[in-house]
Amino acid sequence: MSLSATSAPPSPAAPPPPPTRRRSRALTLNRLDLKVSPYLYIAPFFVLFSIFGLYPMLRTAWMSLHDWNLIGEHSFIGFDNYTRLFTDEYFWNATVNTFGIFLLSTVPQLLLALFLATLLNRTLLRARTFFRMAIFMPNVVSVAAVAIVFGMLFQRDFGLFNWLLGLVGVDPVDWDAQKWSSWTAISSMVNWRWTGYNTLILLAGMQAIPKDLYEAAAIDGASQWKQFWRITLPMLTPTFVFVVTLSTIGGLQLFTEPLVFANGNIIGGDQREFQTLAMYMYELGIENLNTAGYGAAVAWAMFVMIALVSLVNFLLVRRTVK
């Protein structure tokens, strides 16, 4: 009698047990965690931005449509505050001062920051860590201290710069009495304080560029200048656009440096030689209780200017470094 070689057919798999209530609740919580938790993580930012950013902007826009004073009295006047800007001599004077100081500070500052970042990125440079720390030190110094020191340097009678000019036969300059001289003094203060900050941001962008690109370019015989122009600048475009945008916003909102340079005089000199838009807005909105609505209109004019200039800078930088 022979045994059969065929095996018995496998038994069908048992159906999975029905989910218990505890397991179903765990699955539901897991789905909610995946969908809801990302919004909870970023919610604090939007809450704080809504309280300290969005609401003040909307409140300022509403105030700009009224004849508003800080006592609480106001009446709706529509766009009269904005039409008034076109005939306000002080507003256009502050606009010219703002853009004049902005050009004298931002353009040299960015070029110098790009040059210094290139030097600090070289592998042959010794004590790179020391120089990177040292170049950031001006940014951590108090603005008031910086303004006091530069105010002493630019003094008319005993200032260092007038002493140096006197060595070459140039008469002493009253730095805070004329537009060009006050713009130069304030822009030098801004450049000294913010060049190192922008340098480190650009340096971080340079270090993210793959080294293989430079090695391949060197093998092909590309010079240092061609490597910088063909590799560094195109690869650095996002970082450079970021730095330009930050510098534009900061330059057009300049307030502390010219205020301290004027020894707290909010009008920026005897004849408003270096009063910026931010100073003019503060004069209208804070110091003068009866023109808060008009000061709000100046604030929104500043916002539009900053947005337009930032957009123009973005397009120019993108086109230049392509």
Side-chain angles (χ1 to χ4, degrees):
M1 185 174 180
S2 62
L3 297 176
S4 175
T6 61
S7 60
S11 58
T20 62
R21 181 177 300 178
R22 179 177 299 177
R23 185 182 178 187
S24 176
R25 184 181 302 171
L27 293 174
T28 303
L29 292 176
N30 186 41
R31 295 192 196 98
L32 289 176
D33 180 60
L34 293 176
K35 293 182 179 181
V36 178
S37 60
Y39 298 99
L40 294 178
Y41 296 147
I42 63 176
F45 164 77
F46 287 100
V47 171
L48 293 176
F49 174 75
S50 299
I51 297 174
F52 299 105
L54 183 60
Y55 172 74
M57 289 178 61
L58 298 178
R59 179 73 171 180
T60 304
W62 178 249
M63 290 176 60
S64 68
L65 302 177
H66 292 75
D67 182 11
W68 197 295
N69 59 47
L70 296 182
I71 300 176
E73 300 175 355
H74 55 85
S75 59
F76 184 80
I77 58 174
F79 292 95
D80 289 352
N81 283 328
Y82 292 97
T83 57
R84 178 182 169 187
L85 292 174
F86 293 98
T87 58
D88 186 355
E89 179 183 355
Y90 292 157
F91 171 77
W92 291 110
N93 174 72
T95 301
V96 172
N97 291 337
T98 300
F99 278 90
I101 299 173
F102 166 73
L103 291 176
L104 288 177
S105 60
T106 303
V107 176
Q109 177 188 142
L110 294 178
L111 294 177
L112 183 59
L114 185 61
F115 173 73
L116 293 175
T118 305
L119 290 181
L120 293 176
N121 195 42
R122 297 177 65 88
T123 56
L124 299 179
L125 180 67
R126 296 183 178 180
R128 287 185 298 171
T129 303
F130 169 77
F131 287 115
R132 292 172 185 177
M133 293 175 57
I135 204 169
F136 187 70
M137 289 301 295
N139 190 257
V140 302
V141 179
S142 170
V143 182
V146 174
I148 291 172
V149 172
F150 273 82
M152 297 175 63
L153 294 176
F154 284 102
Q155 279 185 351
R156 184 173 64 90
D157 297 322
F158 304 103
L160 176 63
F161 291 109
N162 275 341
W163 177 75
L164 293 175
L165 292 176
L167 295 179
V168 295
V170 179
D171 295 332
V173 178
D174 194 357
W175 294 96
D176 59 355
Q178 299 178 8
K179 280 184 178 293
W180 70 268
S181 57
S182 58
W183 292 359
T184 303
I186 295 172
S187 62
S188 65
M189 189 189 316
V190 176
N191 288 333
W192 184 84
R193 187 163 183 261
W194 291 102
T195 298
Y197 176 83
N198 291 327
T199 298
L200 292 186
I201 296 178
L202 294 175
L203 177 62
M206 290 181 180
Q207 291 183 336
I209 301 175
K211 302 300 181 183
D212 298 342
L213 298 177
Y214 295 102
E215 295 174 358
I219 293 175
D220 291 339
S223 62
Q224 293 289 336
W225 172 251
K226 286 188 176 180
Q227 292 180 28
F228 174 78
W229 191 256
R230 300 295 183 181
I231 299 176
T232 304
L233 277 184
M235 298 292 290
L236 198 63
T237 299
T239 306
F240 198 70
V241 169
F242 174 75
V243 171
V244 169
T245 303
L246 282 184
S247 300
T248 301
I249 295 173
L252 296 181
Q253 290 181 336
L254 201 61
F255 178 80
T256 306
E257 287 86 350
L259 180 64
V260 181
F261 183 74
N263 296 320
N265 184 7
I266 196 64
I267 67 172
D270 296 334
Q271 302 295 327
R272 300 178 183 265
E273 290 87 358
F274 51 94
Q275 184 186 45
T276 61
L277 281 171
M279 295 171 68
Y280 187 51
M281 177 192 66
Y282 186 89
E283 178 189 359
L284 295 172
I286 304 298
E287 290 205 342
N288 193 336
L289 300 179
N290 298 320
T291 57
Y294 187 54
V298 173
W300 269 95
M302 284 181 55
F303 175 79
V304 173
M305 289 181 186
I306 291 173
L308 292 177
V309 175
S310 299
L311 178 61
V312 171
N313 285 341
F314 171 77
L315 296 176
L316 288 178
V317 172
R318 289 289 299 270
R319 178 173 296 183
T320 301
V321 299
K322 275 186 177 181

